[in-house]
Amino acid sequence: TTLFRSICDHNTCENVKAVRKAAEMKGINVLGGMEITSKEEVHLVTLFDKDEDLFGMQEVVYKNLPGENYPEYFGEQIVMNDEDEKTGENKRLLIGATELSSQQIVDLAHRHSGMAIASHVDREGFGIIGQLGFIPPDLPLDALEISPRISYKKAMETLPIEGYPVIASSDAHRPEDIGKSFTTFLIEEVNLTELKKAFLGKEGRKVFLS
């Protein structure tokens, strides 16, 4: 049994290395990623095995992310180290939307050897179904995510998600929300190759949702 987490801030990955280093001391594996906002205001979780791919994706996002943060309105965007100490502050408008389309984000994630998952598809705000009204059939998503707001059974009954691999995660924006919803995987290692096999039910790998 291995515990792992995927760490995804909005439009940035600057805290991933610190989280991973802190998690290692607790025996937790961390997959780095970003939850990127498309120009249609769709949230897409992108995950990566290698930091070079993750930070390469961040570079593209930063080039396509307009605006500057206003801490008095949106709060500080702090960069931390693994000892919970502030090392810097991100001045970009991370709460904003990029100038990249959903198609471009998915394609870029795959080009950087990553994975793209449509975030909280049960939510009207920033979910792909709520924003677009449907899931484009030619959008090569690796999976869909549901939030703690809905059960897997209810999601399958009420949302147009049949045929897609589905995961559940906490969609946490506060520490106390972490772990409110989770997915169990039957895999041999913590990496994207194994996750993709689980999504497809290949070679004995599986995804379990309650």
Side-chain angles (χ1 to χ4, degrees):
T1 300
T2 301
L3 182 63
F4 78 92
R5 295 281 190 267
S6 59
I7 301 299
C8 300
D9 281 338
H10 283 283
N11 295 323
T12 186
C13 62
E14 291 189 31
N15 281 310
V16 166
K17 288 185 177 180
V19 172
R20 182 182 293 118
K21 189 173 179 181
E24 285 174 355
M25 296 184 287
K26 301 291 185 180
I28 300 172
N29 292 280
V30 170
L31 280 175
M34 285 184 290
E35 186 173 27
I36 303 170
T37 307
S38 75
K39 68 179 181 181
E40 307 96 343
E41 296 195 338
V42 170
H43 286 178
L44 295 158
V45 166
T46 58
L47 300 176
F48 304 86
D49 281 326
K50 297 180 180 179
D51 282 349
E52 61 191 78
D53 294 320
L54 170 60
F55 283 92
M57 187 72 179
Q58 179 181 254
E59 185 176 340
V60 177
V61 168
Y62 280 177
K63 286 179 180 178
N64 291 275
L65 183 64
E68 184 175 336
N69 186 46
Y70 292 90
E72 59 271 28
Y73 296 112
F74 303 122
E76 289 184 294
Q77 298 174 158
I78 299 172
V79 181
M80 309 288 287
N81 64 20
D82 59 291
E83 296 181 352
D84 204 28
E85 299 168 333
K86 179 179 177 179
T87 59
E89 187 174 346
N90 195 316
K91 302 293 187 180
R92 296 174 175 84
L93 188 62
L94 300 180
I95 198 172
T98 68
E99 296 173 334
L100 300 166
S101 69
S102 297
Q103 182 72 56
Q104 287 176 308
I105 291 169
V106 173
D107 289 345
L108 283 163
H110 291 160
R111 202 177 305 163
H112 284 81
S113 303
M115 174 183 290
I117 300 171
S119 308
H120 41 66
V121 297
D122 54 291
R123 279 180 49 186
E124 184 173 345
F126 302 109
I128 192 166
I129 299 170
Q131 293 299 118
L132 303 183
F134 67 108
I135 301 174
D138 58 345
L139 186 64
L141 293 162
D142 295 284
L144 310 178
E145 175 204 57
I146 57 174
S147 76
R149 300 168 182 82
I150 194 170
S151 68
Y152 175 66
K153 182 175 184 294
K154 186 72 171 177
M156 294 302 296
E157 291 173 348
T158 60
L159 299 174
I161 61 176
E162 187 175 354
Y164 291 94
V166 177
I167 64 169
S169 56
S170 60
D171 187 28
H173 292 75
R174 298 175 299 178
E176 58 267 29
D177 290 335
I178 296 173
K180 279 191 173 180
S181 186
F182 60 89
T183 302
T184 301
F185 294 92
L186 181 60
I187 54 178
E188 290 190 353
E189 300 177 77
V190 179
N191 58 48
L192 298 190
T193 298
E194 287 288 306
L195 291 185
K196 288 177 182 178
K197 287 180 181 179
F199 290 155
L200 298 174
K202 290 186 173 181
E203 299 177 28
R205 277 59 162 188
K206 295 181 180 179
V207 177
F208 298 96
L209 291 175
S210 56

